[in-house]
Amino acid sequence: MTALPPPDGLSRSERLDRLPFTPKHGRLLGTAGIGWALDAMDVGLISFVIAALAQQWALTTTETSWIASIGFVGMAIGATVGGLLADRIGRRSVFALTLIVYGLATGASALVGSLAVLLVLRFVVGLGLGAELPVASTLISEFAPKRIRGRVVVWLEAFWAVGWIAAAIIGTFVVGASDDGWRWGLAIGMAPAIFSIVVRWGMPESVRFLESKGRLPEAERTVRRFEEAAGVEAPRHLPDVPAVQGATPAADADADAPAVTPADDPAPPRVSIWSRELRGRTIALWVVWFCINFSYYGAFIWIPSLLVAQGFSLVRSFEFTLIITVAQLPGYAVSAFLIERWGRRPTLTVFLVGSALAAAWYGTASTEAMIIAAGCTLSFFNLGAWGALYAIGPELYPTNVRGTGTGAAAGFGRIASILAPLAVPLLLGIGGSIALFGVFAAAFAIAALAAWTLPERRGQPLE
């Protein structure tokens, strides 16, 4: 590792941006990634629970659709509110709170005896899930070194595949093992509530957020911990940092930290995600989020049930889904490599185009080999696109609306997540799998067009 000179005269953000990827970055990524994987495990697990309950409780397609969709109603609200809260009370606090909410609600779902109670709890689960994802990606973006920021966020998103694979394993070997298997599967979903304790006390708060709230000594200590992990000397002096109107600097200043002298000028006014400078990127980001959510959740929530409808046994359909899910991992790996080589916009666009072609192929697949091959291809491109999307979002907005911007886009996208499971039975009735996956392919294509209009932010500092 090349020794870095003392960071004299650099802002805290610039000091973080120039650091190499240290073990401290790795621990932060791992902690956030585990929370991300637990999210994915819950979302993926419900697809297996739906398939099992459809048989045990003799549910109609409308009822099973609502089990999936009601969770996305909660996610739409949770993503929007979570983003707003992250800009007000902090990224770390919201992240830990969301883990508690959906972990406890998932565990409670294992005890239900009626569809109505299950729907209520799935809504609460959705509140926590929806808020956690954009907040986690925002936090990681604000700590990752500038030159590899996109790659680090894709690594975070890759934990989604780990969680979904865990869900597929639980679905295959726990949910499908007995009549009460779905209850045991949901009971395992209580893990996030326990893990939230680790998150709350083990993760640092965003330096950019701390500065925006006037908590300068705390921000300085956090930066120093990352610099110490990289073997960087402490700065002898710091540039003035504009004071934040209405903010009270923390009183527990570190005696060993360099003096911090805020300037008298007020901070720039808070912008809106709908201001003239940000309006275009907000609209494009919302379109991408909506279309990718519609296609992803419409396909992957329903794949186990669709395979059962095609004549495969419940266990066999779960095995197919597990194989298809594993293909997510190389998709993330390629996306992480390309996002710092090609850039954010071309990587996202190419993976969305690949998703469109794969969805069209899956709609025409009929044999076991074709179903698995097309499913793996769809999984590869779709999840690679997700990785690039989460990397792009936080880079589009300044610090004081970063959580709001990413959360609002995710919240709007969850509307599509609500509609997709409800639309699947209707589309199947109109034209079968060909019509269903044709619509998914068209949505991916629209998302690719919108993605190409987003600004390219590779290698640029966060605003």
Side-chain angles (χ1 to χ4, degrees):
M1 182 185 301
T2 303
L4 294 174
D8 293 336
L10 299 179
S11 69
R12 295 183 187 86
S13 296
E14 291 170 334
R15 289 160 62 190
L16 286 174
D17 275 343
R18 74 179 191 140
L19 295 178
F21 189 85
T22 67
K24 195 163 185 67
H25 288 100
R27 286 192 294 273
L28 175 61
L29 176 62
T31 303
I34 292 172
W36 200 282
L38 291 171
D39 263 19
M41 186 181 76
D42 184 277
V43 175
L45 189 58
I46 199 63
S47 65
F48 297 94
V49 172
I50 288 172
L53 288 181
Q55 293 186 346
Q56 289 186 32
W57 289 3
L59 301 178
T60 65
T61 54
T62 299
E63 290 171 329
T64 55
S65 296
W66 272 109
I67 295 175
S69 289
I70 196 65
F72 294 125
V73 173
M75 290 177 78
I77 298 172
T80 303
V81 175
L84 291 169
L85 286 176
D87 285 335
R88 285 162 174 76
I89 67 174
R91 285 61 159 137
R92 180 184 61 182
S93 298
V94 175
F95 186 59
L97 178 62
T98 59
L99 291 171
I100 295 174
V101 169
Y102 85 79
L104 292 178
T106 299
S109 299
L111 304 175
V112 302
S114 68
L115 178 61
V117 177
L118 178 61
L119 291 176
V120 171
L121 288 173
R122 289 306 303 171
F123 172 78
V124 177
V125 169
L127 290 175
L129 287 171
E132 190 269 331
L133 296 176
V135 171
S137 62
T138 296
L139 179 65
I140 293 298
S141 293
E142 291 178 334
F143 273 106
K146 178 177 63 177
R147 67 187 178 282
I148 58 168
R149 184 188 306 121
R151 184 168 298 163
V152 173
V153 176
V154 177
W155 289 342
L156 171 68
E157 168 65 3
F159 279 89
W160 184 269
V162 175
W164 202 280
I165 290 170
I169 293 172
I170 295 170
T172 302
F173 299 106
V174 178
V175 177
S178 66
D179 288 345
D180 286 333
W182 65 272
R183 294 186 185 275
W184 289 109
L186 289 175
I188 295 173
M190 287 190 66
I194 301 172
F195 182 66
S196 65
I197 300 173
V198 176
V199 170
R200 185 63 184 87
W201 298 111
M203 292 182 76
E205 182 55 88
S206 163
V207 171
R208 289 173 170 84
F209 170 79
L210 292 173
E211 286 188 334
S212 73
K213 298 302 180 181
R215 294 158 62 179
L216 304 183
E218 187 178 348
E220 178 61 28
R221 289 196 299 271
T222 300
V223 175
R224 280 302 303 141
R225 293 188 187 105
F226 277 82
E227 288 178 332
E228 288 167 0
V232 177
E233 296 179 24
R236 290 179 290 271
H237 65 274
L238 296 172
D240 290 347
V241 178
V244 180
Q245 286 182 315
T248 302
D252 58 342
D254 190 341
D256 297 327
V260 179
T261 309
D264 294 329
D265 296 331
R270 184 182 182 89
V271 299
S272 165
I273 63 173
W274 295 108
S275 63
R276 184 168 56 85
E277 296 80 6
L278 301 178
R279 186 184 307 134
R281 63 185 68 177
T282 295
I283 293 173
L285 187 64
W286 282 31
V287 170
V288 177
W289 264 96
F290 187 92
C291 291
I292 197 172
N293 268 276
F294 185 85
S295 298
Y296 174 77
Y297 287 107
F300 284 91
I301 288 293
W302 272 91
I303 278 179
S305 298
L306 292 175
L307 291 172
V308 170
Q310 289 178 263
F312 297 101
S313 69
L314 188 65
V315 173
R316 188 67 170 156
S317 71
F318 287 179
E319 291 173 349
F320 281 13
T321 305
L322 176 57
I323 294 171
I324 291 171
T325 301
V326 171
Q328 296 179 9
L329 289 172
Y332 284 124
V334 175
S335 180
F337 174 78
L338 293 177
I339 201 163
E340 299 296 355
R341 292 296 183 95
W342 289 359
R344 281 70 163 134
R345 184 173 60 188
T347 300
L348 177 58
T349 303
V350 167
F351 273 88
L352 286 170
V353 170
S355 298
L357 296 175
W361 182 18
Y362 190 91
T364 61
S366 55
T367 66
E368 288 189 12
M370 289 279 284
I371 289 172
I372 292 175
C376 286
T377 304
L378 178 59
S379 195
F380 174 91
F381 280 105
N382 195 184
L383 276 298
W386 271 114
L389 178 60
Y390 271 104
I392 286 175
E395 295 183 339
L396 299 178
Y397 298 101
T399 296
N400 60 4
V401 291
R402 185 168 295 120
T404 301
T406 55
F412 184 73
R414 298 306 176 191
I415 297 174
S417 305
I418 299 166
L419 298 175
L422 299 173
V424 168
L426 176 63
L427 292 171
L428 284 173
I430 293 174
S433 293
I434 294 177
L436 176 64
F437 282 87
V439 171
F440 294 156
F444 280 129
I446 294 171
L449 292 174
W452 193 250
T453 68
L454 291 170
E456 178 57 58
R457 301 281 299 167
R458 179 180 60 165
Q460 299 181 31
L462 293 177
E463 297 178 32

